[in-house]
């Protein structure tokens, strides 16, 4: 059995953003990578097809027995809803319509948000930009678990429960770490989502509404795709803060597994990240990576030396400009 991990084991890296130097070096050597910095026009049609697919599922489950509602929520709806959250991730980077039409991306994010059941697309964009600019910054990057999470979820069973409850921690953690004033777009996002949920309940009934919400809770919790939450930045190897995953689930997640590439070039859409790796292969092929998100989940739960504490935390410099 390994020794229990503590926050002090990971509060030892105080360097600046770890991806900036590699980005600068790669661009100097391979300037053609700049040609990949453009919107992904397919994203709009993919999101619309996913939305229509989930609407069809909401209709099909309305008369099923409860056990089959939950079954299909996990087997089908969870995959689609988790995939949609990563489409929203792409939209938060303005990849649907480009940076010149930022507001179009916010409206489209609200549309993509509908099958999730919980309004979050506008808020996610605000916090996610902070995550990229100030990776690991204490009190700013809400991707970092709280000290309570690291202290309490330290045993095998508790870490298992933490994985199951991941969507709740991601939803409420910003309120405790870095609360932001509510914007008009967030109010609109919430209003649109509530109206949509009411319409689903009125047209299809409570089973369809439960299916939709359960698909999000299950899909973002104990689910193979959810391995990416832990795989991205939890330090299984000291000195390596960000990890890529090159397995088949990238097809469902807009290549979010290419996470070193994504943080090096956050203005390149997911569909082009494999090209970044191919062009600058000598920079990425030597980095530690994963081929299974399921194994990441298993190792996280079973390894006593890994916990929610296993993240690099940096002290803020006091000059941050927040989203």
């Amino acid at each position: 059995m390994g020794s229990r991990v503590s926050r002090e084991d990971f509060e030892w890296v105080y360097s600046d953003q770890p991806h900036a130097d590699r980005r600068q070096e790669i661009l100097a050597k391979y300037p053609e990578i700049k040609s990949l910095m453009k919107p992904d026009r397919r994203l709009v049609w993919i999101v619309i097809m996913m939305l229509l697919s989930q609407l069809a599922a909401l209709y099909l489950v309305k008369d099923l027995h409860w056990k089959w509602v939950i079954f299909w929520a996990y087997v089908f709806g969870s995959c689609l809803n988790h995939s949609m959250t990563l489409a929203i991730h792409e939209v938060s980077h303005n990849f649907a319509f480009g940076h010149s039409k930022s507001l179009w991306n916010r409206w489209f994010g609200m549309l993509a948000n509908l099958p999730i059941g919980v309004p979050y697309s506008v808020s996610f964009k605000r916090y996610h930009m902070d995550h990229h600019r100030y990776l690991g910054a204490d009190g700013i990057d809400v991707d970092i678990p709280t000290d309570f999470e690291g202290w309490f979820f330290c045993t095998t069973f508790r870490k298992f429960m933490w994985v199951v409850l991941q969507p709740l921690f991601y939803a409420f953690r910003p309120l405790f770490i870095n609360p932001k004033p509510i914007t008009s777009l967030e109010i609109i996002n919430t209003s649109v989502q509530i109206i949509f949920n009411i319409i689903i309940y009125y047209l299809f009934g409570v089973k369809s509404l439960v299916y939709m919400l359960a698909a999000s809770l299950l899909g973002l919790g104990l689910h193979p795709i959810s391995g990416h939450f832990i795989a991205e930045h939890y330090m299984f190897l000291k000195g390596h803060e960000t990890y890529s995953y090159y397995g088949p689930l990238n097809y469902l997640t807009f290549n979010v597994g290419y996470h070193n590439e994504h943080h090096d070039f956050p203005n390149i859409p997911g569909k082009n990240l494999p090209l970044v790796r191919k062009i600058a292969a000598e920079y990425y092929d030597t980095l530690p990576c994963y081929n299974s998100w399921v194994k990441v989940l298993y190792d996280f739960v079973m390894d006593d030396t890994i916990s929610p504490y296993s993240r690099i935390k940096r002290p803020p410099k006091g000059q941050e400009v927040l989203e």
Side-chain angles (χ1 to χ4, degrees):
M1 299 289 287
S3 59
R4 179 173 293 181
V5 69
S6 66
R7 169 63 76 195
E8 287 72 22
D9 293 328
F10 293 89
E11 286 186 336
W12 56 274
V13 177
Y14 298 97
S15 60
D16 290 333
Q17 293 292 342
H19 297 276
D21 291 341
R22 185 163 61 221
R23 174 169 59 248
Q24 185 175 1
E25 188 174 338
I26 290 175
L27 284 176
K29 190 173 183 179
Y30 300 108
E32 63 268 29
I33 284 180
K34 294 180 181 178
S35 66
L36 303 177
M37 301 175 182
K38 55 187 177 182
D40 179 4
R41 301 300 183 187
R42 307 175 312 161
L43 188 60
V44 174
W45 302 110
I46 293 173
V47 166
I48 290 173
M49 290 304 298
M50 291 169 67
L51 174 60
L52 292 176
S53 297
Q54 195 65 302
L55 287 174
L58 291 171
Y59 172 77
L60 292 172
V61 302
K62 67 185 181 67
D63 296 320
L64 295 181
H65 189 280
W66 276 110
K67 67 178 180 181
W68 292 113
V69 172
I70 301 303
F71 173 83
W72 288 113
Y74 188 78
V75 172
F76 177 77
S78 62
C79 298
L80 197 150
N81 274 13
H82 199 138
S83 182
M84 189 68 93
T85 66
L86 293 167
I88 291 171
H89 167 257
E90 292 284 289
V91 174
S92 75
H93 285 273
N94 293 332
F95 292 148
F97 299 101
H99 295 293
S100 63
K101 296 179 179 178
S102 178
L103 192 57
W104 286 32
N105 288 281
R106 303 293 76 75
W107 295 124
F108 191 66
M110 295 181 200
L111 179 69
N113 196 151
L114 293 178
I116 308 301
V118 179
Y120 87 102
S121 65
V122 174
S123 299
F124 173 79
K125 194 269 182 187
R126 301 177 71 196
Y127 284 104
H128 188 63
M129 295 304 103
D130 291 342
H131 169 67
H132 274 279
R133 295 183 187 124
Y134 311 113
L135 179 63
D138 189 15
I140 297 176
D141 184 0
V142 299
D143 197 56
I144 299 287
T146 62
D147 285 338
F148 169 78
E149 291 172 69
W151 169 78
F152 184 78
F153 296 98
C154 58
T155 67
T156 298
F157 176 74
R158 291 179 186 179
K159 286 192 291 181
F160 174 80
M161 293 307 301
W162 185 82
V163 170
V164 172
L165 298 174
Q166 272 190 106
L168 300 182
F169 287 111
Y170 271 95
F172 292 106
R173 192 185 297 144
L175 303 179
F176 295 96
I177 294 181
N178 184 17
K180 295 175 182 282
I182 297 175
T183 66
S184 58
L185 279 176
E186 286 173 305
I187 295 174
I188 295 172
N189 189 183
T190 300
S191 301
V192 168
Q193 188 65 58
I194 291 174
I195 292 171
F196 177 79
N197 291 358
I198 292 173
I199 292 173
I200 293 300
Y201 175 78
Y202 179 78
L203 291 179
F204 301 145
V206 68
K207 290 182 178 179
S208 295
L209 187 61
V210 169
Y211 163 87
M212 181 172 66
L213 296 172
S216 296
L217 183 63
L218 297 172
L220 297 169
L222 187 64
H223 194 280
I225 299 177
S226 292
H228 80 86
F229 289 130
I230 294 171
E232 290 166 0
H233 297 295
Y234 282 76
M235 280 219 309
F236 283 77
L237 296 175
K238 288 291 184 70
H240 294 279
E241 182 177 8
T242 305
Y243 301 79
S244 288
Y245 156 84
Y246 298 124
L249 290 177
N250 277 309
Y251 290 110
L252 298 178
T253 59
F254 300 89
N255 286 330
V256 76
Y258 288 76
H259 218 65
N260 267 302
E261 295 84 346
H262 174 58
H263 272 268
D264 288 352
F265 299 98
N267 52 351
I268 293 180
K271 77 164 187 174
N272 289 335
L273 293 179
L275 293 176
V276 172
R277 184 194 180 201
K278 182 178 180 180
I279 293 170
E282 69 270 27
Y283 289 92
Y284 297 110
D285 288 351
T286 57
L287 295 176
C289 62
Y290 300 113
N291 291 305
S292 171
W293 278 334
V294 173
K295 188 175 187 304
V296 169
L297 290 172
Y298 177 84
D299 289 344
F300 176 83
V301 171
M302 301 304 295
D303 189 340
D304 289 340
T305 66
I306 301 294
S307 83
Y309 269 148
S310 303
R311 293 287 299 268
I312 290 178
K313 183 184 272 192
R314 296 176 174 83
K317 296 180 178 180
Q319 301 174 340
E320 291 81 4
V321 179
L322 304 183
E323 178 70 22

